[in-house]
Amino acid sequence: MTQSNNKKGDHTFSFEKLNQDDLNLIEAAITVLKANFHPLKHQIGCAIRTGSGKIYSAVNIGSSIYGPCAEVVALGAAISNGERNIVSIVAVKKVDDKYPVLSPCGSCRQLMLDYAHNATVLLNFEGQPVKAKATDLLPGPYENSFTTIVRSTGSDIGR
């Protein structure tokens, strides 16, 4: 597996090249977005692979006041179906006739640390899809009693 280290500001990222499972996950995110795209309501597709091997896909939910990101919706679907081990996650956006991989927003990065800190996240780095550990994507994350307990157990989500 090829790794590259990239420095942005004071933080160094370590990325790995994508494999066939990653490409299949991207395709699942593209498929859900193609099926549900709406220019105002659903512009982002997400797919999550769990430890059971199942893939949960979702789109963002746009509204006039607040709309959760596709990552939030897909993670909620996985959790609602009893999944507790999130292996990997990716989001895509429709740009003309293409569906590039997106980097997660800050809120989603925090959510991944809280619910899937052992997961691999596929993201866009300088125009290329790469993957990194969720723990590497948010230096100085928010900490409270919830995050301390979840991260100290070494497991994701729990019951």
Side-chain angles (χ1 to χ4, degrees):
M1 206 165 284
T2 304
Q3 277 194 317
S4 65
N5 292 317
N6 298 284
K7 189 166 177 93
K8 285 282 189 184
D10 293 332
H11 190 71
T12 300
F13 296 90
S14 182
F15 299 132
E16 296 179 18
K17 287 190 176 186
L18 305 185
N19 60 33
Q20 190 58 50
D21 285 344
D22 300 326
L23 298 175
N24 293 342
L25 196 64
I26 292 169
E27 192 56 40
I30 291 170
T31 298
V32 75
L33 183 55
K34 282 182 175 180
N36 298 288
F37 179 80
H38 184 279
L40 298 176
K41 297 179 180 179
H42 314 297
Q43 311 94 357
I44 310 295
C46 176
I48 292 176
R49 177 177 285 109
T50 64
S52 72
K54 290 183 180 176
I55 293 177
Y56 294 86
S57 301
V59 294
N60 69 306
I61 306 295
S63 78
S64 62
I65 55 171
Y66 168 74
C69 296
E71 296 93 330
V72 176
V73 179
L75 185 60
I79 292 168
S80 296
N81 281 283
E83 300 289 353
R84 298 296 181 263
N85 180 19
I86 307 303
V87 175
S88 53
I89 185 167
V90 65
V92 299
K93 178 176 181 147
K94 184 178 187 318
V95 178
D96 298 322
D97 291 333
K98 297 182 181 179
Y99 294 84
V101 170
L102 293 179
S103 295
C105 72
S107 292
C108 287
R109 291 175 191 223
Q110 182 69 49
L111 185 76
M112 289 174 202
L113 287 179
D114 293 347
Y115 284 90
H117 66 274
N118 293 319
T120 298
V121 181
L122 284 64
L123 65 143
N124 183 313
F125 185 77
E126 297 180 347
Q128 296 299 314
V130 296
K131 62 182 177 181
K133 290 293 183 187
T135 53
D136 291 340
L137 298 181
L138 189 64
Y142 177 74
E143 299 285 342
N144 64 19
S145 58
F146 173 81
T147 59
T148 301
I149 291 168
V150 169
R151 291 186 203 131
S152 69
T153 64
S155 65
D156 288 330
I157 303 170
R159 284 244 184 245

